[in-house]
Amino acid sequence: MNISKLPLAHGKASVIFCRENGANSQKPQGWYVGIKPARGAGLGFEHMLGAAQSGGVLQLQIFDTSGAETAYDVTADYSSATITSPVGELKIAIDAPVNALRIEGNVPSLRLFKQAAAGMGSGSTLNLPDGAELNSGGRIVLKVLTGKHTFDDTWLIKQWSSVPADLRVTARNGKISLAMFSLGDYAAVPEITRSIADCAADSQADFTAFKGKLSEPIDETEAYSVWAFGTDDPFVFADAELALETALAHAKSSARKRPAYAAAVSALYVSGKLSAAGADKKRELISVIRNQLNWWNTYRFDAASRRYFYAYAGEYGGAPSGDSSPKYDTELHSLISALDSVCANLETEVR
Amino acid sequence: MSVKFGNGQKFDLIQAPYGRHGSYFYIYEDYNLPILRLSGFKTDNAMQGGMFNFDIKLLQRAPYTQLPREVRYRYTADEGSVRFQQYGEAAGWGEIVLTDKGHLRIRGNAPIEVSLRARNAAPEAAAAICEGVFARDAGKFEANFGRFGKMFFEAIRGSVTWESVFDNGVCKSFKAILNPTDDTRELDVGIHEYDADTEFEGYPNYEDFDALIAANKADFENFKKNYPTAVPSEYAETAEYAKWLIWSHRVKPGGYYVTPMILMHLQWLTAAASWQQSYNAMAQQANPQEAWRQICSLFEHQDPATGQLPGMLFYSGGAGIQAPFQGFALDWIIKRCGDDFLTAEECTRMYPKFAKWVNFWTELKTAGRGDDVIYAKSPHDSGWDDASIFADGFPASNPDILAFLVVLMEMTALLARKAGNSAVADEFDKRSKRLLQTITDEFWDDESGQFVTKKFASQPVKSLSLATLQPIMLGKRLPQSIIDKVAANLTKEGEWLTPIGLASESLKSPKLGLAHQFTLGRVIAPQNMILTVGLFTAGKEAEARLIAERYLNNIRDKGMILGFSPIDKYPDNHESQAGEWIDLDLPPIASDPWPWSTWTANCFLTMASLM
């Protein structure tokens, strides 16, 4: 797997190992432990709670026995990554049941740190007996399983922030092992019970099982991306439930917009996949679509000319302009009719 | 009594915006230009850029050309409406009444322009949030401002039109022009606001304009009944303004709010803060039922799994955490009003929620000692965002939070007992007393006369923060020797006591931060209120009044400002800025330069009730 392009990730965990390309000035080019990008908007608490962590969070450095930084290479398959350096190796895998990124190897020392100077409200850190905790719009716990660590938890009173996180781990008896957890604010830190090899094997098994639910043929890398990060395309799935789930997610995100998903939903119905899904999910899909159809019928239907229209360019993906008149669109009528037809058929099935 | 506003008056609209209970709109005077501005608090947090702001311009037809031009006006206002009047001989005027029905009305006798102009954006981006206008029916139209919501303009008398300019899909300007009738020169327009994902369903029966003004006045009069009328005469005018400020920041149920709450600001932090609902309640001593409702309002959002109350509630959601203030507020209301308002039904409803809130702190934020001592992982847990008690970092066990927990446990016990559950009552009484003993045994330093924060619950943090004296809020629960020492510390001139009240950090501290810091020296309302109430209930009434008088006098003279620097220059022992002037930024919104705030208003009223 080209890990420069796609992070090491897992469909059932939020932790990742990824490469940042330096486009973000606060994240110089390099390899990072991190969190899958968050979805949804924040509430504007960032100045107090710190911005939510997303993408690469802490950069990884490796050092030789004299303390000099050492370059390293990273290779990966879909279940783990291997770091190779002149001073030793590290293996990285994801322990999905406890949402932890596992790092283990025989390098003399390593460092996980934030480059950026603490900004206003970057959150607080804690130096724990066995690692460190970062609280910034979310909670990351770094647990050192093997090795000796140092961590600076200095609090900068006037900046409402701790100094940038900087965990340094030195090998004990030639070994280093640590775990990075992404946890709820008050969740207990889980115990680590599995070997890193078992974690990698489990990831591979989960990915393989997931591939069985996909339509044939599909590129391995694309399959991995769908497994690890999700997709908007319901046709990727041979599995009816997954196909409907994806169609449902697409429908939910299409409120007050041109229902482009209508074609996909119609095709899914024709393929039999919607009918093969469970009744509860079908009812949920019907409910979402009917709400949207009601909106079109109530607020975007010209009774005089019996045509649907858009009020704003944003409703059809256009560029806003000074034109305040309704925009009629015959294709819109087709999309709405298609959805109405699918709903009517599904309603018959779930009756 | 009515509150009067006007250009250059004691209460103008540069300093605090003009609002109305239940209205999402507010009006303020532009900091740099002599015009009024319109905005809404639902989505436009000043700290996020101020995109949703409109100029309100009065126009006159220029002689000879007959083209409308902007004219200068003066404004006056009271709780009923805002009126603006053209300068000079010409008699152009306009008047705005806010309502609690999702719209405002504007009337007048001259054209009025409402034009979009963001506060912080470059001129070419000042109207960028406008995503279009939709005019389905003649004479009225809807303007779409994206995530900031929509507005619907409808003329009741006169007409309303708009002009917009778009370039490459970006709005360069948007203005609505409200025109009076040609014959009678009358204009009356409704402007409705609603969320981006909702639709306007029409407003078929517009009320009489003057009736709306009267309704606003009546609503304010009714709200004032929550507060004692007896106020020292020297504070009467300020108290009236404080009540107005709170009333104008009171939100109705809608969005994330399920019960009326009080916002901290309409412009800056447009949130109903958890602990502020409690100290709003503390001022409402003429209506303990309303005070109780206010205290309980946060429990509508209690996390059923963890018991956590959110720290901040915005229109769109809530998160974060703040100190467990609710017990202290309830204890105060009971001390002032008795506890008859606590019916058995209410106690039965609320004691499990109070218990869950206590246990959230003692179980999920436990210091792991097997007792009820907690860890704060962030200063926001205590409310003192930049206090020096956290100088050594986290986790910290700070006695100000522990003191709140002592009272919260005691109030939980009281509620449980009144609900008939003596087992729960006994348990929380015992825990309250045990935690109090822990505070005095482990977190009190008799030599300095301060309570001490401890990192890891064991390593004392050297600090001259006012928070080290805050556990005086425990009143007579504390040993007399501790009360005496804290009172002595609080009334020693030049340390925490200043001519304008208590400084949040001792003036002798090398860590003072007085320009952009909150609780590193500025004289702020809640701490002055907590400590004067604490001294008062500890029997140190003279000391409480000494401090309160200084604080109240300053607010009376300077305004309902968030916080004040008590000195002009840093002292010579300052660690980095010895002898430097304390310079403040001038932000271009309602502020002075620190913003006016309801937390000052409600604390003013509570402290005035001690006098």
Side-chain angles (χ1 to χ4, degrees):
Chain A
M1 180 176 83
N2 185 348
I3 194 175
S4 293
K5 296 265 163 38
L6 268 182
L8 179 70
H10 192 295
K12 294 170 185 160
S14 64
V15 293
I16 60 176
F17 181 69
C18 64
R19 182 158 181 83
E20 290 284 344
N21 60 13
N24 181 333
S25 62
Q26 304 225 315
K27 298 181 187 180
Q29 195 173 76
W31 294 98
Y32 287 72
V33 300
I35 306 289
K36 280 181 188 172
R39 291 172 186 251
L43 289 167
F45 294 101
E46 284 79 12
H47 65 287
M48 288 180 69
L49 303 177
Q53 316 281 6
S54 175
V57 176
L58 299 169
Q59 190 171 2
L60 173 68
Q61 280 181 338
I62 293 174
F63 302 93
D64 66 19
T65 50
S66 72
E69 186 184 352
T70 307
Y72 57 85
D73 294 315
V74 181
T75 55
D77 57 27
Y78 299 111
S79 63
S80 64
T82 302
I83 289 176
T84 313
S85 80
V87 299
E89 260 195 14
L90 289 173
K91 196 87 173 167
I92 301 180
I94 293 175
D95 197 341
V98 296
N99 201 21
L101 189 80
R102 302 278 301 277
I103 302 174
E104 193 172 283
N106 59 0
V107 300
S109 66
L110 63 80
R111 180 188 182 206
L112 289 172
F113 69 106
K114 277 197 182 182
Q115 276 273 6
M120 182 77 168
S122 295
S124 63
T125 64
L126 285 73
N127 186 6
L128 302 176
D130 58 356
E133 184 172 314
L134 285 59
N135 290 291
S136 176
R139 177 169 164 240
I140 290 174
V141 172
L142 301 163
K143 187 167 182 173
V144 177
L145 303 165
T146 305
K148 193 174 154 205
H149 81 279
T150 60
F151 185 80
D152 184 356
D153 65 351
T154 299
W155 174 252
L156 303 171
I157 296 176
K158 292 184 180 177
Q159 296 191 47
W160 298 16
S161 294
S162 299
V163 296
D166 192 339
L167 176 76
R168 293 174 191 248
V169 185
T170 310
R172 195 190 298 276
N173 298 325
K175 263 197 85 177
I176 279 186
S177 176
L178 59 144
M180 183 194 90
F181 297 87
S182 173
L183 299 170
D185 287 348
Y186 305 110
V189 180
E191 289 299 319
I192 295 292
T193 57
R194 306 193 302 165
S195 71
I196 202 166
D198 285 346
C199 293
D202 175 70
S203 292
Q204 184 61 52
D206 198 276
F207 176 42
T208 302
F210 182 82
K211 281 191 291 185
K213 297 181 182 176
L214 300 175
S215 300
E216 303 276 0
I218 185 166
D219 173 75
E220 188 87 347
T221 301
E222 192 187 338
Y224 169 80
S225 176
V226 172
W227 170 69
F229 300 103
T231 181
D232 285 340
D233 181 4
F235 290 106
V236 159
F237 298 106
D239 178 87
E241 295 288 338
L242 287 174
L244 192 151
E245 279 282 356
T246 307
L248 183 58
H250 204 156
K252 284 179 179 174
S253 68
S254 299
R256 280 173 218 83
K257 288 185 225 171
R258 179 173 174 274
Y261 70 93
V265 165
S266 295
L268 277 175
Y269 180 76
V270 166
S271 74
K273 282 185 184 168
L274 288 189
S275 299
D280 283 347
K281 276 291 167 200
K282 282 195 272 196
R283 286 194 187 96
E284 191 181 351
L285 182 65
I286 292 166
S287 173
V288 168
I289 296 176
R290 279 286 178 220
N291 276 338
Q292 292 181 11
L293 293 178
N294 287 340
W295 182 81
W296 286 105
N297 288 327
T298 306
Y299 301 109
R300 296 293 186 264
F301 183 70
D302 181 355
S305 64
R306 303 210 55 79
R307 292 183 292 170
Y308 291 99
F309 62 89
Y310 301 107
Y312 299 104
E315 291 171 2
Y316 58 86
S321 73
D323 183 359
S324 64
S325 56
K327 279 137 264 320
Y328 298 97
D329 179 0
T330 50
E331 196 198 13
L332 176 58
H333 197 115
S334 304
L335 294 172
I336 290 172
S337 294
L339 287 174
D340 186 53
S341 174
V342 169
C343 277
N345 289 324
L346 290 177
E347 280 159 349
T348 306
E349 291 175 16
V350 299
R351 203 167 289 148
Chain B
M1 193 193 250
S2 181
V3 186
K4 303 290 181 201
F5 307 92
N7 301 72
Q9 299 300 306
K10 180 174 183 179
F11 301 123
D12 66 22
L13 299 184
I14 282 184
Q15 294 165 325
Y18 178 93
R20 191 252 189 247
H21 162 219
S23 170
Y24 295 118
F25 282 124
Y26 63 87
I27 297 165
Y28 64 100
E29 182 181 348
D30 191 82
Y31 196 85
N32 296 308
L33 300 174
I35 55 171
L36 294 172
R37 304 258 275 147
L38 174 70
S39 187
F41 72 78
K42 268 195 228 171
T43 55
D44 188 61
N45 184 325
M47 288 188 262
Q48 292 177 5
M51 299 301 290
F52 188 73
N53 277 266
F54 300 83
D55 289 338
I56 299 171
K57 298 180 182 176
L58 188 63
L59 308 178
Q60 280 285 287
R61 301 208 174 275
Y64 311 118
T65 65
Q66 290 299 303
L67 292 172
R69 68 168 182 195
E70 188 182 349
V71 295
R72 191 158 175 147
Y73 57 78
R74 62 167 66 89
Y75 68 87
T76 56
D78 60 20
E79 62 273 13
S81 67
V82 177
R83 190 177 168 102
F84 41 106
Q85 175 88 43
Q86 183 178 356
Y87 276 94
E89 189 180 330
W93 62 271
E95 185 172 21
I96 300 172
V97 63
L98 302 181
T99 78
D100 60 352
K101 298 173 181 53
H103 71 286
L104 61 83
R105 292 266 294 279
I106 303 184
R107 67 179 173 183
N109 71 348
I112 293 170
E113 180 185 299
V114 179
S115 50
L116 181 62
R117 180 170 66 92
R119 196 182 59 249
N120 288 348
E124 59 271 19
I129 62 169
C130 181
E131 295 187 4
V133 175
F134 178 50
R136 188 164 174 176
D137 303 309
K140 38 189 140 174
F141 64 91
E142 176 184 88
N144 185 344
F145 301 103
R147 73 174 185 87
F148 295 94
K150 301 177 198 168
M151 288 162 75
F152 191 87
F153 295 76
E154 183 169 22
I156 299 145
R157 264 194 282 284
S159 65
V160 56
T161 57
W162 80 94
E163 291 171 19
S164 63
V165 174
F166 283 78
D167 181 23
N168 272 334
V170 177
C171 184
K172 297 298 182 186
S173 75
F174 166 83
K175 56 175 100 162
I177 301 121
L178 323 181
N179 291 295
T181 56
D182 285 333
D183 51 354
T184 59
R185 290 199 172 177
E186 288 179 291
L187 144 67
D188 188 342
V189 170
I191 303 178
H192 301 258
E193 61 77 33
Y194 38 105
D195 296 348
D197 59 355
T198 58
E199 306 298 331
F200 183 60
E201 304 289 355
Y203 199 84
N205 298 309
Y206 283 101
E207 294 87 350
D208 174 73
F209 198 103
D210 289 315
L212 291 174
I213 295 175
N216 290 353
K217 294 185 177 186
D219 197 274
F220 178 46
E221 283 305 309
N222 193 48
F223 181 73
K224 285 195 289 184
K225 292 176 185 164
N226 294 318
Y227 301 93
T229 49
V231 174
S233 59
E234 62 266 38
Y235 305 131
E237 183 191 43
T238 313
E240 188 76 3
Y241 179 83
K243 293 171 201 170
W244 173 84
L245 194 66
I246 297 168
W247 172 79
S248 65
H249 285 55
R250 190 173 194 252
V251 298
K252 63 181 183 182
Y256 198 64
Y257 303 118
V258 299
T259 188
M261 303 185 95
I262 313 287
L263 299 181
M264 180 171 181
H265 300 287
L266 291 176
Q267 280 192 309
W268 277 89
L269 195 57
T270 54
S274 164
W275 64 348
Q276 290 184 34
Q277 306 315 300
S278 285
Y279 43 93
N280 269 297
M282 289 173 72
Q284 293 172 334
Q285 296 161 39
N287 189 351
Q289 285 88 349
E290 171 59 16
W292 173 237
R293 186 202 65 77
Q294 200 73 66
I295 290 168
C296 294
S297 60
L298 258 300
F299 289 90
E300 301 287 345
H301 301 277
Q302 185 171 37
D303 186 312
T306 65
Q308 180 181 355
L309 304 186
M312 296 273 181
L313 284 83
F314 291 78
Y315 180 80
S316 52
I321 190 164
Q322 283 188 328
F325 208 104
Q326 290 76 16
F328 178 64
L330 176 59
D331 184 42
W332 172 249
I333 290 295
I334 292 172
K335 282 180 162 70
R336 302 294 275 182
C337 310
D339 65 2
D340 287 348
F341 64 95
L342 291 173
T343 62
E345 187 185 347
E346 274 298 290
C347 294
T348 303
R349 180 176 78 93
M350 289 306 299
Y351 89 78
K353 296 175 195 262
F354 268 60
K356 213 163 181 165
W357 180 219
V358 169
N359 291 336
F360 161 79
W361 285 91
T362 59
E363 290 170 12
L364 296 183
K365 287 184 156 302
T366 179
R369 300 173 7 151
D371 60 8
D372 285 329
V373 172
I374 61 98
Y375 273 161
K377 288 188 187 175
S378 152
H380 309 307
D381 290 3
S382 74
W384 308 132
D385 305 321
D386 45 15
S388 62
I389 55 174
F390 300 116
D392 293 351
F394 301 94
S397 299
N398 45 317
D400 50 295
I401 298 183
L402 299 180
F404 278 125
L405 283 173
V406 165
V407 188
L408 186 64
M409 288 171 183
E410 190 182 295
M411 291 298 108
T412 303
L414 179 147
L415 294 173
R417 204 171 299 287
K418 287 173 83 69
N421 191 330
S422 52
V424 169
D426 289 346
E427 177 208 336
F428 278 89
D429 260 335
K430 209 160 81 173
R431 289 173 65 182
S432 174
K433 290 179 171 62
R434 198 170 57 210
L435 187 57
L436 174 63
Q437 193 66 53
T438 301
I439 291 175
T440 56
D441 286 348
E442 294 186 40
F443 294 88
W444 167 250
D445 176 37
D446 203 57
E447 189 180 329
S448 66
Q450 295 173 264
F451 292 88
V452 179
T453 291
K454 292 185 173 180
K455 191 172 179 188
F456 295 116
S458 56
Q459 300 165 13
V461 180
K462 276 183 71 100
S463 166
L464 291 174
S465 172
L466 187 63
T468 63
L469 301 170
Q470 192 174 309
I472 191 66
M473 56 175 276
L474 293 166
K476 288 207 160 100
R477 298 173 185 89
L478 291 168
Q480 191 61 46
S481 60
I482 290 181
I483 293 173
D484 290 341
K485 285 210 166 169
V486 171
N489 258 335
L490 287 173
T491 51
K492 210 181 297 175
E493 296 283 358
E495 295 215 28
W496 288 280
L497 182 62
T498 78
I500 61 170
L502 295 171
S504 46
E505 178 86 1
S506 167
L507 298 185
K508 297 204 156 108
S509 168
K511 288 186 167 27
L512 273 178
L514 292 163
H516 305 292
Q517 282 74 51
F518 251 140
T519 60
L520 212 51
R522 292 186 80 86
V523 175
I524 58 172
Q527 276 187 322
N528 277 269
M529 184 274 286
I530 294 167
L531 272 81
T532 51
V533 164
L535 283 168
F536 194 86
T537 59
K540 296 288 186 182
E541 294 181 14
E543 289 87 342
R545 291 193 176 111
L546 166 77
I547 297 166
E549 184 179 35
R550 294 187 184 195
Y551 183 82
L552 293 169
N553 287 349
N554 186 58
I555 298 300
R556 176 197 61 203
D557 298 340
K558 296 278 176 56
M560 296 282 159
I561 296 171
L562 200 63
F564 296 83
S565 175
I567 53 179
D568 294 328
K569 276 187 178 183
Y570 286 107
D572 293 336
N573 69 331
H574 195 268
E575 64 186 6
S576 59
Q577 293 174 280
E580 287 181 19
W581 288 99
I582 295 154
D583 289 320
L584 302 168
D585 289 335
L586 296 175
I589 62 169
S591 74
D592 207 355
W594 275 60
W596 288 42
S597 170
T598 56
W599 86 353
T600 305
N602 58 54
C603 291
F604 178 92
L605 292 170
T606 298
M607 293 165 72
S609 76
L610 302 178
M611 306 300 285

